């Protein structure tokens, strides 16, 4: 049922007894146009105001479209999506006609003035020619208004809101989408989900990825492909796309020579690290890493209450772990634990020396500076093994974890038990699925079997 002009206040507001046209400005354009556009109609009759408003509404739409076209794709997209919403809400022919006129005005504004004249090969008549980039903008604008095109990142914020992953992985998601949009722009591929109906365009993107980011390794670039795949899987479940076009796609990493794989520390390197001149905090940190096999960030994030009276550390989940992980406190670590927890409140940090980034929105882990400090220390005492073309040394903080696993194996501990202690996924149906895990005393025996090397 059509709305009566006696009650229709769409795009209208009363000001000092007279009606005026008003239109909200998309947030992205408010720095240029203000929050709202306004124009007086000089009438106190709502019926008359409804008859006078449409040319002014379309003039305002043209101003917004012009600013959006100058601002780029994201701004123009918000205008197109608003037109689409208005068309869905329109409930009479007058409104549909007025909005359609506004769309035409907006498209003409996006196209701008003709840059030259072309001759129609069939009729021989002259036709105006426009900037090809603006023609693409106008076509994309029209497709979004018509509901025939969904921008690649249209659902991405909704997808990101449902993710339960680490900040670093969220950063990978954001970088992957930016790379895909950049590739679309550079290759004149419309940045819509509909541009990827099959693997064909996805394969082209993967083929071009190394050239797009030549400084990044295939391992890093494959992370981005994997994050795009996860996003497409989410879209597929919601029937926004028909298939995950990224499934099975990956860059082939360069072959790694046997002597170029990251490795554990040797006994001599361990002695150097544990006897070198550095801070007490670094010495405590290295010993905990060596006698638990834990990754860096969970150690740095320990709180006083995570060192329980029953003699276990409670490490936060990492990688694919679902819950916190218990790890027995080695007898050689008791002095460190007592010193760092004495007189502290339960929620106090175990390592106050590394409070973490001040910016709450950062993607960096709390241990970011800790890692840098360890690298500087290891380099200062010559515990490094670097290779040309590799970003990381073959020995790094993670080598404490490798050293623990190696030391436990050499001490005769079962592989499945070591996997539980360090948080690796256990292999095989019996231990991997049906077993609730070994009792803590078995894990304690595994930890105690590992001994720090003595200085010679």
């Amino acid at each position: 049922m059509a709305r009566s002009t006696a009650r229709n206040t769409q795009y209208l507001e009363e000001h000092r007894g007279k009606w005026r046209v008003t239109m909200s400005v998309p947030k992205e354009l408010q720095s240029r146009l203000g929050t709202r556009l306004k124009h007086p109609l000089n009438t106190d009759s709502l019926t008359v105001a409804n008859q006078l408003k449409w040319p002014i509404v379309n003039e305002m739409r043209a101003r917004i479209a012009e600013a959006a076209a100058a601002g780029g794709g994201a701004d123009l997209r918000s205008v197109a999506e608003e037109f689409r919403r208005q068309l869905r809400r329109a409930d009479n022919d007058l409104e549909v006609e007025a909005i359609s006129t506004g769309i035409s005005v907006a498209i003409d504004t996006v196209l701008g003035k003709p840059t030259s004249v072309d001759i129609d090969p069939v009729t021989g008549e002259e036709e105006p020619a426009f900037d090809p980039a603006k023609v693409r903008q106008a076509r994309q604008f029209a497709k979004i208004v018509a509901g025939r095109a969904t921008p690649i990142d249209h659902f991405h914020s909704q997808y990101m809101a449902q993710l339960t992953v680490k900040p670093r992985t969220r950063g990978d998601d954001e970088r992957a989408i930016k790379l895909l949009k950049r590739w679309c722009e550079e290759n004149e591929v419309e940045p819509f989900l509909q541009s990827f109906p099959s693997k064909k365009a996805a394969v082209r993107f993967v083929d071009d990825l190394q050239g797009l980011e030549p400084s990044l390794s295939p391992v890093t670039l494959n992370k981005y492909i994997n994050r795009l795949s996860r996003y497409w899987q989410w879209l597929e479940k919601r029937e926004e796309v028909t298939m995950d076009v990224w499934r099975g796609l990956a860059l082939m990493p360069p072959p790694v020579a046997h002597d170029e794989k990251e490795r554990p520390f040797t006994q001599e390197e361990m002695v150097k690290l544990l006897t070198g001149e550095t801070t007490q905090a670094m010495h405590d940190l290295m010993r905990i890493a060596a006698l638990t096999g834990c990754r860096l960030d969970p150690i740095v994030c320990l709180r006083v209450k995570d060192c329980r009276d029953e003699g276990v550390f409670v490490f936060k989940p990492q990688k694919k772990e679902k819950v916190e992980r218990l790890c027995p406190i080695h007898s050689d670590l008791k002095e460190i634990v007592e010193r760092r927890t004495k007189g502290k409140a339960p929620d106090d940090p175990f390592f106050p020396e590394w409070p973490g980034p001040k910016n709450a929105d950062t993607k960096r882990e709390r241990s970011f500076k800790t890692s840098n400090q360890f690298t500087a220390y290891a380099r200062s005492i010559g515990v490094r093994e670097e290779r040309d073309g590799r970003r990381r040394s073959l020995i790094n903080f993670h080598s404490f974890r490798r050293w623990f696993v190696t030391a436990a194996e050499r001490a005769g501990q079962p592989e499945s038990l070591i996997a539980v202690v360090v948080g690796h996924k256990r292999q095989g149906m019996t231990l991997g699925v049906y077993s609730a895990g070994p009792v803590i005393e078995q894990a304690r025996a595994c930890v105690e079997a590992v001994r720090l090397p003595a200085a010679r």
Side-chain angles (χ1 to χ4, degrees), residues 153 306 327 394 415 442:
D153 59 352
D306 295 327
C327 180
L394 299 185
E415 183 180 350
Q442 289 177 281

Side-chain angles (χ1 to χ4, degrees), residues 179-180 183 203-214 216 218 220-222 224-225 228 251:
L179 267 177
L180 183 57
W183 178 82
V203 169
R204 283 179 56 203
F205 171 77
V206 172
D207 287 344
D208 293 344
L209 197 49
Q210 194 77 71
L212 203 62
E213 286 291 344
L216 298 181
T220 299
L221 295 175
N222 281 336
Y224 298 158
I225 298 170
L228 289 173
L251 294 170

Side-chain angles (χ1 to χ4, degrees), residues 407-431:
E409 287 177 342
R410 289 175 178 173
Q413 297 301 306
E415 183 180 350
S416 60
L417 190 55
I418 298 171
V420 171
V421 171
V422 300
H424 282 162
K425 184 177 180 181
R426 292 185 290 172
Q427 301 299 315
M429 179 63 72
T430 304
L431 288 174

Side-chain angles (χ1 to χ4, degrees), residues 152-161 173-174 177 231 234:
I152 286 170
D153 59 352
H154 182 76
F155 298 101
H156 202 248
S157 58
Q158 184 182 350
Y159 162 74
M160 293 287 284
D173 272 288
E174 292 165 0
I177 283 291
Y231 177 43
W234 183 87

Side-chain angles (χ1 to χ4, degrees), residues 140-206:
Q140 292 178 14
F141 182 89
K143 285 184 178 181
I144 295 173
V145 172
R148 298 197 308 272
T150 307
I152 286 170
D153 59 352
H154 182 76
F155 298 101
H156 202 248
S157 58
Q158 184 182 350
Y159 162 74
M160 293 287 284
Q162 297 180 22
L163 281 183
T164 55
V165 295
K166 294 172 66 174
R168 185 183 295 176
T169 304
R170 297 178 71 86
D172 289 339
D173 272 288
E174 292 165 0
R175 285 185 286 272
I177 283 291
K178 286 180 182 177
L179 267 177
L180 183 57
K181 289 169 64 178
R182 181 177 137 205
W183 178 82
C184 287
E185 182 179 352
E186 293 179 4
N187 290 273
E188 297 186 3
V189 174
E190 292 186 323
F192 302 136
L193 296 178
Q194 289 80 358
S195 298
F196 296 83
S198 67
K199 285 184 177 289
K200 190 172 183 178
V203 169
R204 283 179 56 203
F205 171 77
V206 172

Side-chain angles (χ1 to χ4, degrees), residues 252-273:
M252 184 67 69
V256 177
H258 179 71
D259 62 349
E260 288 191 356
K261 293 181 180 179
E262 294 189 3
R263 61 170 177 81
F265 293 120
T266 64
Q267 296 296 83
E268 291 74 19
E269 288 165 344
M270 285 290 291
V271 170
K272 267 191 172 183
L273 288 165

